[in-house]
C-alpha cells in the first residue's frame, strides 16, 4: 500500500510520530480517531512535479494523503495538538503529539514546506507565462519546454478574450480563497469559544447544585434547633412552676424539702445554662442563615449567568451554521471556477498545439 501511495520520485524530508484524527463529517465539530496509536507522519517531496505531500499509513490503509498548497495553514490549538484543513480531501486533519517540542518542530516544518510550495508555484507560473502568442512561432525552444512540462498545469496569461476570462476567474479564486480562510478562522474561534462556554456552563451547574444542597442543609438545621429550643423553654417553665409551688406550700421547708428544692434549683440552673448555650447556637445559625441568603443571591446570579451563556451558545451555534453554509457555497463557487479555468487551460493547450503545427508547417515551407 505504501509503495503505491509514494512514487519513486518522492523523497521523505521530515518524519514525526503522532496520533491522527479527522473531523467528523456529520457534525464538523467532533474529532474522530484515525489511528489507534501513534503512527509515523512524514513530509514527502516529488521533484518531477514540485509537489509536497503529508503522508501517514496505519496498517495497510493510508490515513493521511494531503498535498500541501500555499493557502493551507497549520494551527496549534493546544500545547500538544495541531490541525490543518485540506479542501481537496474535504476534511480537517488533527495531530496529537507526545511533547510540545514535537508539535513545534512539525509546525515549523509545515511553514517551510508551505513556503517552498509557494515558491514552486510562482516559479512554475513564471516559466509557463506567455506574454504574446506570436512568440511561439519564433521560439522553438519555448515550445519544447512547454511539451516537456505539460504534466504540471500552468497558470497562463494570453492576450485576447480568453485573457479577460482567465484574469476574472483568477481574481474570483483569490477572493474565494480569502473568504474561505476567514470562514475557517471564524469556525475555529467559534469552536474554541463553544468549548470555553461548555466548561463554564458545567462549572456554574456544579456550583449551583452545591449552593442548593448547602442551603437545604442549613434550613433543616435551623428548624431542628428551633424545635429543641422550644422544648427546653417549655421544660424550664415547668420546673420554675414546680419550684414556686413548693415554696408556696411551705413557708419554712424541712430537710427533705430543702434537698428537693436544691436539686430542682440545680437542675434549673443546668437547664438555663443549656438554654443559654442553645441560644448562642441559634444566634450562630442565624448568622449562617444570613450567609446562606448571600449564597442564595450568588446562586441566582449564577443561574442568570448560566442563562446568558446558554443564549450566547445558541447564537454561536447559529453563527457557525451560517458560516458552514457560506463555506459550502464558497466551495461550490470555487469548484465551478476551477472547472472554468481548466476549460480555459484546455483551450489554450489546443491553441498552443495548433501554433506548434503552424510553426512546423512554416519551417517546412521555408526549407522548400
Amino acid at each position: 500500500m505504501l509503495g503505491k501511495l509514494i512514487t519513486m520520485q518522492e523523497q521523505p524530508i521530515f518524519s514525526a510520530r503522532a496520533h491522527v484524527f479527522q473531523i467528523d463529517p456529520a457534525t464538523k465539530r467532533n474529532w474522530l480517531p484515525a489511528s489507534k496509536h501513534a503512527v509515523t507522519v512524514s513530509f514527502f517531496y516529488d521533484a518531477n512535479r514540485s509537489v509536497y505531500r503529508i503522508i501517514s499509513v496505519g496498517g495497510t490503509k493510508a490515513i493521511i494523503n494531503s498535498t500541501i498548497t500555499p493557502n493551507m495553514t497549520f494551527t496549534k490549538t493546544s500545547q500538544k495538538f495541531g490541525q490543518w484543513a485540506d479542501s481537496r480531501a474535504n476534511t480537517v486533519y488533527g495531530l496529537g503529539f507526545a511533547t510540545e517540542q514535537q508539535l513545534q518542530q512539525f509546525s515549523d516544518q509545515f511553514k517551510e514546506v508551505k513556503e517552498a510550495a509557494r515558491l514552486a508555484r510562482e516559479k512554475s507560473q513564471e516559466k509557463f507565462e506567455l506574454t504574446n502568442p506570436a512568440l511561439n512561432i519564433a521560439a522553438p525552444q519555448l515550445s519544447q519546454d512547454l511539451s516537456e512540462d505539460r504534466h504540471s498545469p500552468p497558470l497562463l496569461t494570453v492576450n485576447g478574450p480568453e485573457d479577460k476570462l482567465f484574469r476574472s476567474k483568477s481574481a474570483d479564486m483569490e477572493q474565494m480563497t480569502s473568504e474561505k480562510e476567514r470562514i475557517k478562522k471564524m469556525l475555529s474561534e467559534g469552536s474554541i469559544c463553544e468549548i470555553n462556554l461548555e466548561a463554564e456552563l458545567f462549572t456554574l451547574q456544579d456550583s449551583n447544585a452545591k449552593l442548593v444542597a448547602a442551603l437545604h442543609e442549613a434550613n433543616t438545621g435551623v428548624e431542628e434547633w428551633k424545635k429543641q429550643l422550644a422544648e427546653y423553654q417549655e421544660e424550664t417553665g415547668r420546673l420554675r412552676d414546680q419550684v414556686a409551688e413548693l415554696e408556696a406550700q411551705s413557708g419554712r421547708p424541712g430537710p427533705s424539702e430543702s434537698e428537693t428544692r436544691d436539686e430542682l434549683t440545680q437542675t434549673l440552673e443546668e437547664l438555663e445554662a443549656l438554654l443559654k448555650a442553645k441560644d448562642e447556637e441559634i444566634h450562630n445559625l442565624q448568622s449562617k442563615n444570613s450567609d446562606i441568603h448571600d449564597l442564595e443571591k450568588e446562586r441566582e446570579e449564577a443561574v442568570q449567568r448560566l442563562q446568558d451563556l446558554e443564549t450566547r451558545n445558541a447564537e454561536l451555534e447559529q453563527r457557525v451554521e451560517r458560516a458552514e453554509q457560506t463555506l459550502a457555497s464558497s466551495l461550490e463557487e470555487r469548484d465551478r471556477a476551477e472547472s472554468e479555468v481548466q476549460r480555459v487551460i484546455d483551450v489554450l493547450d489546443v491553441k498552443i498545439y495548433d501554433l506548434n503545427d503552424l510553426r512546423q508547417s512554416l519551417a517546412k515551407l521555408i526549407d522548400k
Side-chain angles (χ1 to χ4, degrees), residues 223-239:
E223 294 298 329
E224 184 178 353
W225 285 118
K226 285 183 178 180
K227 184 178 180 180
Q228 290 182 3
L229 178 61
E231 292 177 355
Y232 288 137
Q233 288 176 342
E234 183 179 355
E235 182 67 18
T236 301
R238 187 178 63 79
L239 290 174

Side-chain angles (χ1 to χ4, degrees), residues 215-283:
L215 181 61
H216 180 70
E217 182 180 356
N219 288 333
T220 303
V222 169
E223 294 298 329
E224 184 178 353
W225 285 118
K226 285 183 178 180
K227 184 178 180 180
Q228 290 182 3
L229 178 61
E231 292 177 355
Y232 288 137
Q233 288 176 342
E234 183 179 355
E235 182 67 18
T236 301
R238 187 178 63 79
L239 290 174
R240 283 176 178 173
D241 292 340
Q242 287 182 1
V243 171
E245 184 179 355
L246 288 173
E247 289 178 350
Q249 290 178 356
S250 177
R252 190 174 182 180
S256 59
E257 293 177 353
S258 177
E259 291 175 358
T260 302
R261 181 177 178 181
D262 291 340
E263 291 176 358
L264 291 173
T265 302
Q266 184 178 0
T267 303
L268 180 61
E269 290 176 352
E270 291 175 354
L271 288 173
E272 287 178 345
L274 182 60
L275 181 61
K276 183 178 180 181
K278 295 300 179 183
D279 285 337
E280 292 179 355
E281 291 180 0
I282 291 294
H283 179 72

Side-chain angles (χ1 to χ4, degrees), residues 156 158 160-172 337 340-341 343-345 347:
L156 300 177
V158 297
E162 289 82 358
D163 176 36
K164 296 181 180 179
L165 177 60
F166 181 78
R167 291 180 182 273
S168 176
K169 293 300 181 180
S170 299
D172 291 341
E340 188 64 23
V341 169
R343 187 187 66 81
V344 173
I345 291 174
V347 172

Side-chain angles (χ1 to χ4, degrees), residues 25-135:
T27 62
K28 300 295 184 182
R29 297 179 186 175
N30 302 323
W31 288 109
L32 299 178
S35 61
K36 295 181 180 179
H37 51 78
V39 295
T40 300
V41 182
S42 303
F43 288 86
F44 283 85
Y45 173 63
D46 188 343
N48 287 350
R49 298 189 301 161
S50 298
V51 171
Y52 294 87
R53 291 198 296 166
I54 299 178
I55 297 175
S56 178
V57 178
T60 59
K61 179 182 179 182
I63 55 180
I64 298 180
N65 184 10
S66 179
T67 301
I68 305 300
T69 65
N71 295 329
M72 287 184 176
T73 300
F74 184 80
T75 304
K76 294 187 288 184
T77 57
S78 68
Q79 293 182 349
K80 299 180 182 180
F81 193 87
Q83 66 184 52
W84 79 95
D86 189 337
S87 58
R88 295 185 179 181
N90 194 24
T91 188
V92 179
Y93 292 105
L95 298 180
F97 294 89
T99 63
E100 184 177 357
Q101 182 181 3
Q102 293 178 358
L103 172 60
Q104 185 61 44
Q105 290 176 351
F106 189 91
S107 177
D108 294 341
Q109 187 63 41
F110 195 100
K111 291 179 181 178
E112 293 179 5
V113 170
K114 174 183 173 181
E115 180 65 18
R118 184 185 67 80
L119 294 175
R121 174 177 289 185
E122 290 179 355
K123 184 177 180 181
S124 177
Q125 289 176 357
E126 292 175 359
K127 184 177 181 180
F128 291 101
E129 184 177 7
L130 299 177
T131 57
N132 191 340
L135 294 177

